[in-house]
Amino acid sequence: MLTSQMVKDAALAAGADLCGIGSMDRFDGAPKEMDPRYIFPEAKSVIGMVFRIPRGVQRGIEEGTQFYQYPSMAYGGINEIYAPAVLYHVGKLIEDYGYEAAVYRNTGARGCVSDMDATPGNTLSPEEQIQVMEQAKKKTDHHRTVQFTRAAREGQVPPDLQFHFRLAGVACGLGEMGWSKMFLTPEFGPLQRLAFIFTDAELEPDPLYSGKPLCRRCMMCAKECPGGCLSTTESIKVSIGGKVCEWGKLDEWKCYAFYTHGGRKYNPFVPKEVWDKNENGDLDLLEGKCQANEQEILKVYSALEKYFPTWVGYNMAKCGGCIRACVSMLEKKGGCMAERFEKPLRTGKAWAMDR
């Protein structure tokens, strides 16, 4: 007989840092396009796994000296290498007991609903699709939703469904949402990635996290955001299994522009004269002179992509703003990361370049 403890033991032995289990009914109320029950309707349990981000990969960004380790190790390494290996191992255990294991790693894929503004994907005619694809050849595309999609059968959501990883982490009892919209655990604060398995095995669920609140509502995540993307007053609330999850309202388009390019104070890969010249107003978005949208982001990419590979900049400002600010505050007295390390991540002011 397969038990929850067997699954957890297997996950931890394979390399996960934490493992929690939730029941699928905790997703009641989720939008259809983000409800994982449409992926595997027979699933009874969701298994969530946490993979810690070593604090040390932030050191280069904290000092402004080295930027590769966070995107390569804390993003690509976990999502593409470490987590899939553990999912594979635990999935085999589940299927050896006669149950199905629908593994789900962080693919970075896009769903039929935009993860920026929640608008649905295109439902164009074949003729209109051809026109859009012809136009797309003339520019670099950075769409945040799948271009063309339709349901495979009546009553089904389109096949490119993407569920909310952080809320699924809440459903597994692993932690809670912070004001920054980052997922927080009592063990690692915001420093982790998540991966999941959905199974038709009916496993004993863990209770939702009910310990000391992890987010201190200090608003440092908002204050240190290079783009001012996070509200300190407006919030989003969602209920998961009866637990109300709340986070600050985020300008997702603006966040996308800044965490991939950082702005002039956080991007040493672009010459200062390029920022100063701002030819054709291509960098107005990063200078706070226009409203964030896909078209403005494309202008930024076109103007700056010659200076550094996107992989270097990816998560540059995100790590430099909300995440490191959160780590710094949670290491202070009373925070969930207090006394975990011999020395704090930050001993002075947050790093930034002269304009």
Side-chain angles (χ1 to χ4, degrees), residues 61-134:
I61 303 177
E62 175 69 17
E63 310 296 340
T65 57
Q66 217 285 337
F67 294 83
Y68 289 86
Q69 301 312 313
Y70 184 86
S72 63
M73 291 289 289
Y75 191 87
I78 294 176
N79 290 336
E80 304 287 339
I81 301 172
Y82 313 133
V86 178
L87 290 174
Y88 180 70
H89 179 83
V90 179
K92 288 194 298 181
L93 169 72
I94 293 170
E95 297 201 346
D96 283 346
Y97 276 83
Y99 299 102
E100 188 163 293
V103 298
Y104 208 111
R105 72 176 183 88
N106 188 338
T107 62
R110 304 297 165 208
C112 59
V113 173
S114 171
D115 61 355
M116 291 301 195
D117 52 21
T119 55
N122 294 322
T123 54
L124 305 179
S125 68
E127 293 77 14
E128 290 172 320
Q129 292 183 21
I130 292 173
Q131 292 177 5
V132 172
M133 285 188 285
E134 287 299 323

Side-chain angles (χ1 to χ4, degrees), residues 198-272:
F198 299 98
T199 178
D200 52 352
E202 191 164 1
L203 302 172
E204 181 68 26
D206 291 302
L208 297 177
Y209 177 77
S210 60
K212 180 181 177 181
L214 303 176
C215 179
R216 307 175 77 176
R217 295 297 194 266
C218 64
M219 300 300 165
M220 288 306 296
C221 54
K223 294 174 184 177
E224 291 197 20
C225 173
C229 309
L230 187 63
S231 173
T232 59
T233 57
E234 296 183 81
S235 68
I236 306 296
K237 293 183 180 180
V238 175
S239 178
I240 293 292
K243 180 181 177 69
V244 176
C245 306
E246 181 181 19
W247 60 88
K249 186 176 181 181
L250 180 69
D251 185 333
E252 282 89 355
W253 279 115
K254 197 173 183 182
C255 177
Y256 182 48
F258 274 88
Y259 80 69
T260 52
H261 293 92
R264 68 159 70 206
K265 284 189 174 184
Y266 300 93
N267 189 336
F269 298 93
V270 179
K272 185 177 183 296

Side-chain angles (χ1 to χ4, degrees), residues 54-56 58-59 62-63 191 324 327-333 337-348:
R55 195 187 76 171
Q58 297 182 306
R59 178 55 57 192
E62 175 69 17
E63 310 296 340
L191 295 180
R324 287 193 298 121
V327 170
S328 179
M329 292 305 296
L330 292 180
E331 288 183 344
K332 297 184 185 301
K333 186 176 180 180
M337 298 180 71
E339 301 180 2
R340 185 178 163 210
F341 292 91
E342 291 290 327
K343 296 181 180 179
L345 172 71
R346 182 174 297 167
T347 56

